[in-house]
């Protein structure tokens, strides 16, 4: 009897979901009750595409930066709190450079305390560590915590925002301009695009994967210690995908009346990291559903080929140098994302190097390249670099060589 009732409820739920789906094309993937994630992904692949409700969106694979899907990706829109992705990126830049530490203590200013919107209710003069404030930003989207960190790093929020804009420019985010560090502003001069959000999201998660230690948190308590005493405050994640989507790893939500509902969602499955950016969705449910649809589609159609290029390469012969050979190494790993269903085992690699080179050669100079082909077509390459410097030999060096040979 219970099984019959459960089946009936599942059927009714399916009818209700489909009835409310008129705004979607048949290509969308619904998280229908009773379906496994694998079934949803297979259906996404079978329908051959995805339609979403939000006006702007993009789906990117993180390691290659390859775009799998896009919809009005370069239309400038208000980003709301997904602005904080850039704030977090600068925080981690400063941690990496040793300019700040996770254990550093940060004092909340009156300006930071005055922030409205989403906040963790820091009091003026309250001291928190950098580690705690990162949690407040990444988990609870605290505007007050964002400003406190901006002031700690740059002295003022204004100077920190200038740093944000310089960083955006260095990343090639040509359609982005920030006016605050948290996205609370309603200024028309605070804007970005789905493509630019994906670019800065990719920079954050690929350069600093430790961000996941924060963005995967669903709930965690922090302690407020002020002149009035100590109290516990529970940080609760604004990213509902952490509970709704099994592969979710982050990253950042945002919403204001101007921006509507935005999301940069990251997820990992079978070694593939995807970034789904949704901007200006009409409500928060659409925001999350669109992101899940994009991620399901991406995982369904994507295969990632990776060559770490760790094997040793034979040294190159150097003529006319103080030494006869120079060591060489691969510059980096090779990654190729396929969305066409090709047989990735057919990828071939050919190392192309000159038989010998003339001195001098400098460490870091290009010695050759490894070329990858699939079905006879080149799909990419990796530079091979000299790992050491070999100077051009002088008369004295030749005398030394002769001396070593005979004596």
């Amino acid at each position: 009897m219970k099984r019959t009732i459960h089946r009936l409820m599942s059927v009714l739920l399916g009818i209700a979901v489909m009835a409310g789906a008129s705004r979607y094309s048949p290509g969308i993937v619904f998280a229908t009750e009773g379906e496994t994630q694998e079934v949803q992904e297979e259906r996404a692949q079978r329908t051959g595409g995805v339609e979403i409700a939000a006006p702007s969106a993009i789906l990117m694979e993180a390691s290659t930066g390859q775009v799998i899907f896009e919809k009005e990706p370069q239309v400038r829109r208000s980003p709301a709190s997904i602005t904080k992705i850039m704030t977090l990126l600068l925080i981690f830049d400063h941690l990496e450079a040793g300019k700040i530490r996770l254990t550093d203590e940060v004092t909340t200013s009156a300006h930071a305390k005055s922030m409205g919107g989403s906040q963790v209710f820091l009091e003026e003069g309250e001291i928190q560590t950098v580690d705690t404030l990162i949690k407040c930003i990444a988990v609870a989207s605290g505007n007050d915590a964002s400003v406190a960190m901006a002031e700690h790093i740059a002295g003022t929020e204004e100077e920190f925002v200038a740093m944000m804009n310089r960083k955006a420019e260095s990343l090639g985010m040509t359609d982005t301009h920030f006016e605050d560090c948290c996205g609370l502003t309603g200024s028309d001069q605070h804007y970005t695009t789905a493509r630019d959000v994906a670019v800065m999201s990719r920079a954050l998660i690929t350069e600093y994967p430790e961000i996941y230690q924060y963005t995967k948190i669903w709930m965690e308590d922090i302690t407020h210690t002020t002149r009035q005493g100590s109290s516990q405050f529970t940080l609760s994640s604004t990213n509902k995908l952490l509970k709704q989507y099994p592969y979710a790893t982050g990253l950042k939500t945002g919403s204001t009346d101007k921006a509507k509902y935005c999301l940069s969602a990251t997820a990992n499955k079978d070694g593939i990291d995807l970034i789904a950016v949704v901007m200006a969705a009409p409500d928060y449910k659409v925001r999350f559903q669109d992101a899940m649809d994009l991620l399901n589609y991406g995982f369904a159609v994507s295969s990632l080929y990776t060559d770490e290029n760790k094997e040793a390469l034979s040294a190159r012969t150097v003529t006319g140098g103080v030494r006869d050979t120079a060591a060489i190494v691969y510059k980096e790993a090779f990654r190729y994302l396929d969305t066409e269903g090709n047989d990735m085992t057919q990828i071939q690699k050919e190392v192309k190097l000159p038989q010998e080179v003339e001195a001098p050669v400098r460490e870091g100079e290009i010695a050759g390249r490894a070329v990858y082909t699939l079905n006879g077509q080149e799909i990419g390459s990796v530079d091979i670099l000299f790992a050491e410097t070999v100077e051009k030999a002088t008369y004295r060096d030749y005398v030394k060589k002769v001396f070593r040979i005979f004596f």
Side-chain angles (χ1 to χ4, degrees):
M1 182 64 179
K2 288 183 179 178
R3 183 177 299 175
T4 301
I5 292 172
H6 177 73
R7 286 179 178 174
L8 179 59
M9 289 179 67
S10 296
V11 171
L12 290 173
L13 178 61
I15 293 171
V17 169
M18 294 306 292
S22 59
R23 61 186 178 83
Y24 296 103
S25 82
I28 202 156
V29 182
F30 291 102
T32 308
E33 184 176 332
E35 285 189 350
T36 65
Q37 194 67 37
E38 286 73 16
V39 170
Q40 294 172 37
E41 291 166 6
E42 286 174 9
R43 182 140 53 87
Q45 190 169 26
R46 188 170 63 251
T47 56
V50 59
E51 294 270 345
I52 63 168
S56 285
I58 196 168
L59 178 66
M60 178 183 287
E61 194 279 318
S63 68
T64 61
Q66 182 171 326
V67 174
I68 303 169
F69 172 95
E70 56 185 8
K71 177 182 178 182
E72 295 191 3
Q74 291 179 291
V75 174
R76 293 178 177 181
R77 300 184 185 276
S78 177
S81 283
I82 56 176
T83 295
K84 296 184 179 84
I85 296 169
M86 181 59 79
T87 299
L88 289 166
L89 180 55
L90 285 181
I91 291 171
F92 278 90
D93 278 349
H94 281 72
L95 286 167
E96 176 72 13
K99 295 178 180 178
I100 60 173
R101 297 172 298 175
L102 290 174
T103 54
D104 285 351
E105 294 184 334
V106 180
T107 302
T108 305
S109 69
H111 176 55
K113 178 192 181 310
S114 71
M115 292 297 107
S118 57
Q119 54 188 305
V120 294
F121 303 100
L122 298 173
E123 292 293 333
E124 182 180 356
E126 181 177 342
I127 297 173
Q128 295 287 358
T129 64
V130 168
D131 181 59
T132 297
L133 290 177
I134 293 174
K135 291 176 186 175
C136 293
I137 298 168
V139 180
S141 194
N143 294 324
D144 45 1
S146 298
V147 174
M149 278 304 306
E151 293 175 335
H152 180 68
I153 288 172
T156 65
E157 184 183 7
E158 291 75 18
E159 180 53 35
F160 187 83
V161 171
M163 294 169 61
M164 293 170 68
N165 286 316
R166 289 194 293 270
K167 182 71 174 182
E169 184 178 0
S170 73
L171 291 173
M173 296 167 58
T174 56
D175 291 298
T176 295
H177 184 264
F178 298 112
E179 290 214 332
D180 71 10
C181 67
C182 56
L184 190 60
T185 179
S187 170
D188 290 337
Q189 296 308 306
H190 187 92
Y191 57 80
T192 187
T193 66
R195 182 183 294 276
D196 282 1
V197 172
V199 168
M200 66 177 175
S201 298
R202 181 188 180 217
L204 179 58
I205 67 175
T206 57
E207 294 177 29
Y208 307 111
E210 57 267 35
I211 186 63
Y212 292 136
Q213 298 172 18
Y214 300 93
T215 60
K216 287 182 180 181
I217 295 172
W218 177 246
M219 264 185 196
E220 186 167 316
D221 288 342
I222 65 169
T223 302
H224 285 301
T225 302
T226 65
R227 285 171 293 186
Q228 285 72 42
S230 296
S231 62
Q232 294 293 109
F233 182 81
T234 300
L235 303 176
S236 181
S237 179
T238 58
N239 185 6
K240 305 312 175 189
L241 287 189
L242 293 178
K243 289 296 184 181
Q244 296 175 0
Y245 194 69
Y247 311 121
T249 56
L251 183 64
K252 193 70 199 71
T253 62
S255 63
T256 61
D257 290 341
K258 183 180 181 66
K260 297 184 181 178
Y261 292 86
C262 304
L263 172 66
S264 179
T266 57
N268 175 278
K269 181 176 184 286
D270 298 332
I272 298 177
D273 284 295
L274 296 182
I275 303 165
V277 179
V278 175
M279 297 192 73
D283 62 59
Y284 75 93
K285 290 182 179 179
V286 169
R287 167 179 65 184
F288 293 123
Q289 184 64 59
D290 278 353
M292 285 191 288
D293 295 334
L294 288 169
L295 293 168
N296 278 338
Y297 174 68
F299 286 128
V301 302
S302 297
S303 297
L304 185 65
Y305 174 88
T306 301
D307 183 359
E308 294 297 337
N309 286 325
K310 297 294 186 183
E311 73 270 18
L313 292 167
S314 299
R316 292 294 89 195
T317 299
V318 179
T319 61
V322 295
R323 292 194 307 278
D324 295 329
T325 61
I328 55 173
V329 294
Y330 292 104
K331 180 181 180 181
E332 58 194 355
F334 175 76
R335 290 181 175 81
Y336 172 72
L337 186 75
D338 179 74
T339 59
E340 304 298 325
N342 288 300
D343 182 0
M344 305 290 263
T345 64
Q346 297 304 304
I347 292 178
Q348 296 182 331
K349 172 183 176 181
E350 181 183 3
V351 173
K352 295 186 176 182
L353 293 163
Q355 288 299 313
E356 57 183 39
V357 293
E358 269 192 51
V361 298
R362 305 293 179 192
E363 182 180 355
E365 287 181 344
I366 295 175
R369 65 188 189 123
V371 178
Y372 296 83
T373 57
L374 176 61
N375 301 327
Q377 300 294 318
E378 183 175 332
I379 58 173
S381 64
V382 171
D383 286 338
I384 296 171
L385 308 178
F386 286 106
E388 57 186 342
T389 296
V390 177
E391 299 288 355
K392 189 175 180 65
T394 64
Y395 175 77
R396 180 176 294 181
D397 295 316
Y398 284 116
V399 171
K400 288 180 179 178
K401 282 186 179 182
V402 171
F403 186 83
R404 283 197 298 269
I405 290 171
F406 287 96
F407 298 100

